[in-house]
mmCIF file of all heavy atoms in Angstrom:
data_model
loop_
_atom_site.group_PDB
_atom_site.id
_atom_site.type_symbol
_atom_site.label_atom_id
_atom_site.label_comp_id
_atom_site.label_asym_id
_atom_site.label_seq_id
_atom_site.Cartn_x
_atom_site.Cartn_y
_atom_site.Cartn_z
ATOM 1 N N ALA A 1132 -4.901 32.572 6.333
ATOM 2 C CA ALA A 1132 -4.800 33.617 7.365
ATOM 3 C C ALA A 1132 -3.638 34.585 7.077
ATOM 4 O O ALA A 1132 -2.814 34.855 7.960
ATOM 5 C CB ALA A 1132 -4.675 32.997 8.746
ATOM 6 N N GLY A 1133 -3.567 35.038 5.854
ATOM 7 C CA GLY A 1133 -2.566 36.059 5.506
ATOM 8 C C GLY A 1133 -1.176 35.499 5.248
ATOM 9 O O GLY A 1133 -0.262 36.248 4.895
ATOM 10 N N VAL A 1134 -1.000 34.179 5.398
ATOM 11 C CA VAL A 1134 0.334 33.596 5.167
ATOM 12 C C VAL A 1134 0.283 32.753 3.884
ATOM 13 O O VAL A 1134 -0.623 31.923 3.702
ATOM 14 C CB VAL A 1134 0.761 32.703 6.359
ATOM 15 C CG1 VAL A 1134 2.141 32.106 6.118
ATOM 16 C CG2 VAL A 1134 0.743 33.522 7.647
ATOM 17 N N ASP A 1135 1.233 32.988 3.002
ATOM 18 C CA ASP A 1135 1.288 32.233 1.737
ATOM 19 C C ASP A 1135 2.084 30.944 1.908
ATOM 20 O O ASP A 1135 3.199 30.965 2.428
ATOM 21 C CB ASP A 1135 1.970 33.084 0.657
ATOM 22 C CG ASP A 1135 1.066 34.208 0.177
ATOM 23 O OD1 ASP A 1135 -0.139 34.170 0.479
ATOM 24 O OD2 ASP A 1135 1.555 35.125 -0.520
ATOM 25 N N HIS A 1136 1.495 29.839 1.474
ATOM 26 C CA HIS A 1136 2.203 28.550 1.515
ATOM 27 C C HIS A 1136 2.326 28.052 0.075
ATOM 28 O O HIS A 1136 1.367 28.145 -0.685
ATOM 29 C CB HIS A 1136 1.386 27.505 2.310
ATOM 30 C CG HIS A 1136 1.102 27.951 3.710
ATOM 31 N ND1 HIS A 1136 1.925 27.658 4.770
ATOM 32 C CD2 HIS A 1136 0.068 28.668 4.227
ATOM 33 C CE1 HIS A 1136 1.416 28.172 5.874
ATOM 34 N NE2 HIS A 1136 0.283 28.793 5.576
ATOM 35 N N HIS A 1137 3.496 27.516 -0.265
ATOM 36 C CA HIS A 1137 3.628 26.958 -1.611
ATOM 37 C C HIS A 1137 2.746 25.723 -1.750
ATOM 38 O O HIS A 1137 2.818 24.814 -0.929
ATOM 39 C CB HIS A 1137 5.088 26.592 -1.887
ATOM 40 C CG HIS A 1137 5.269 26.003 -3.247
ATOM 41 N ND1 HIS A 1137 5.348 26.769 -4.387
ATOM 42 C CD2 HIS A 1137 5.342 24.709 -3.662
ATOM 43 C CE1 HIS A 1137 5.471 25.981 -5.436
ATOM 44 N NE2 HIS A 1137 5.467 24.724 -5.038
ATOM 45 N N LEU A 1138 1.894 25.712 -2.753
ATOM 46 C CA LEU A 1138 1.058 24.526 -3.005
ATOM 47 C C LEU A 1138 0.681 24.531 -4.480
ATOM 48 O O LEU A 1138 0.001 25.436 -4.955
ATOM 49 C CB LEU A 1138 -0.214 24.543 -2.147
ATOM 50 C CG LEU A 1138 -1.163 23.378 -2.382
ATOM 51 C CD1 LEU A 1138 -0.565 22.060 -1.935
ATOM 52 C CD2 LEU A 1138 -2.483 23.597 -1.648
ATOM 53 N N ASP A 1139 1.139 23.527 -5.192
ATOM 54 C CA ASP A 1139 0.880 23.436 -6.630
ATOM 55 C C ASP A 1139 0.243 22.067 -6.868
ATOM 56 O O ASP A 1139 0.884 21.032 -6.684
ATOM 57 C CB ASP A 1139 2.240 23.568 -7.364
ATOM 58 C CG ASP A 1139 2.084 23.542 -8.886
ATOM 59 O OD1 ASP A 1139 1.097 22.941 -9.362
ATOM 60 O OD2 ASP A 1139 2.959 24.091 -9.576
ATOM 61 N N ASP A 1140 -1.025 22.071 -7.270
ATOM 62 C CA ASP A 1140 -1.739 20.798 -7.472
ATOM 63 C C ASP A 1140 -0.981 19.880 -8.426
ATOM 64 O O ASP A 1140 -0.974 18.650 -8.261
ATOM 65 C CB ASP A 1140 -3.141 21.065 -8.047
ATOM 66 C CG ASP A 1140 -4.104 21.604 -6.972
ATOM 67 O OD1 ASP A 1140 -3.698 21.738 -5.817
ATOM 68 O OD2 ASP A 1140 -5.274 21.884 -7.334
ATOM 69 N N ARG A 1141 -0.359 20.487 -9.438
ATOM 70 C CA ARG A 1141 0.328 19.644 -10.449
ATOM 71 C C ARG A 1141 1.536 18.950 -9.833
ATOM 72 O O ARG A 1141 1.803 17.795 -10.130
ATOM 73 C CB ARG A 1141 0.687 20.509 -11.652
ATOM 74 C CG ARG A 1141 -0.559 21.007 -12.383
ATOM 75 C CD ARG A 1141 -0.269 22.152 -13.301
ATOM 76 N NE ARG A 1141 0.301 23.289 -12.587
ATOM 77 C CZ ARG A 1141 0.776 24.375 -13.184
ATOM 78 N NH1 ARG A 1141 0.761 24.454 -14.484
ATOM 79 N NH2 ARG A 1141 1.272 25.369 -12.479
ATOM 80 N N GLU A 1142 2.257 19.671 -8.964
ATOM 81 C CA GLU A 1142 3.394 19.027 -8.282
ATOM 82 C C GLU A 1142 2.909 17.891 -7.386
ATOM 83 O O GLU A 1142 3.523 16.823 -7.327
ATOM 84 C CB GLU A 1142 4.138 20.052 -7.399
ATOM 85 C CG GLU A 1142 5.033 20.978 -8.158
ATOM 86 C CD GLU A 1142 5.625 22.046 -7.239
ATOM 87 O OE1 GLU A 1142 5.533 21.909 -5.996
ATOM 88 O OE2 GLU A 1142 6.167 23.030 -7.770
ATOM 89 N N GLU A 1143 1.811 18.143 -6.680
ATOM 90 C CA GLU A 1143 1.274 17.115 -5.760
ATOM 91 C C GLU A 1143 0.819 15.887 -6.547
ATOM 92 O O GLU A 1143 1.018 14.747 -6.110
ATOM 93 C CB GLU A 1143 0.124 17.672 -4.906
ATOM 94 C CG GLU A 1143 0.510 18.841 -4.017
ATOM 95 C CD GLU A 1143 1.685 18.525 -3.069
ATOM 96 O OE1 GLU A 1143 1.864 17.347 -2.710
ATOM 97 O OE2 GLU A 1143 2.425 19.463 -2.724
ATOM 98 N N VAL A 1144 0.203 16.129 -7.709
ATOM 99 C CA VAL A 1144 -0.238 15.006 -8.523
ATOM 100 C C VAL A 1144 0.962 14.202 -9.016
ATOM 101 O O VAL A 1144 0.998 12.974 -8.925
ATOM 102 C CB VAL A 1144 -1.087 15.497 -9.740
ATOM 103 C CG1 VAL A 1144 -1.284 14.362 -10.753
ATOM 104 C CG2 VAL A 1144 -2.424 16.032 -9.256
ATOM 105 N N ARG A 1145 1.979 14.915 -9.501
ATOM 106 C CA ARG A 1145 3.185 14.210 -10.010
ATOM 107 C C ARG A 1145 3.828 13.388 -8.888
ATOM 108 O O ARG A 1145 4.228 12.244 -9.097
ATOM 109 C CB ARG A 1145 4.188 15.208 -10.573
ATOM 110 C CG ARG A 1145 3.767 15.739 -11.933
ATOM 111 C CD ARG A 1145 4.901 16.478 -12.649
ATOM 112 N NE ARG A 1145 4.363 17.229 -13.756
ATOM 113 C CZ ARG A 1145 4.095 18.528 -13.742
ATOM 114 N NH1 ARG A 1145 4.356 19.241 -12.668
ATOM 115 N NH2 ARG A 1145 3.585 19.135 -14.797
ATOM 116 N N ALA A 1146 3.900 13.984 -7.693
ATOM 117 C CA ALA A 1146 4.504 13.271 -6.561
ATOM 118 C C ALA A 1146 3.697 12.026 -6.223
ATOM 119 O O ALA A 1146 4.245 10.944 -5.966
ATOM 120 C CB ALA A 1146 4.614 14.206 -5.354
ATOM 121 N N ALA A 1147 2.377 12.159 -6.241
ATOM 122 C CA ALA A 1147 1.522 11.017 -5.908
ATOM 123 C C ALA A 1147 1.640 9.931 -6.979
ATOM 124 O O ALA A 1147 1.661 8.730 -6.664
ATOM 125 C CB ALA A 1147 0.067 11.480 -5.778
ATOM 126 N N LEU A 1148 1.742 10.341 -8.237
ATOM 127 C CA LEU A 1148 1.886 9.355 -9.321
ATOM 128 C C LEU A 1148 3.226 8.627 -9.191
ATOM 129 O O LEU A 1148 3.317 7.407 -9.428
ATOM 130 C CB LEU A 1148 1.771 10.044 -10.693
ATOM 131 C CG LEU A 1148 0.353 10.438 -11.100
ATOM 132 C CD1 LEU A 1148 0.377 11.364 -12.321
ATOM 133 C CD2 LEU A 1148 -0.506 9.189 -11.419
ATOM 134 N N ALA A 1149 4.265 9.362 -8.786
ATOM 135 C CA ALA A 1149 5.577 8.737 -8.602
ATOM 136 C C ALA A 1149 5.534 7.732 -7.464
ATOM 137 O O ALA A 1149 6.085 6.617 -7.566
ATOM 138 C CB ALA A 1149 6.627 9.825 -8.332
#
Side-chain angles (χ1 to χ4, degrees):
V1134 180
D1135 287 347
H1136 303 269
H1137 179 80
L1138 178 67
D1139 182 334
D1140 285 359
R1141 294 163 301 173
E1142 282 175 13
E1143 299 305 332
V1144 167
R1145 285 193 194 100
L1148 285 168

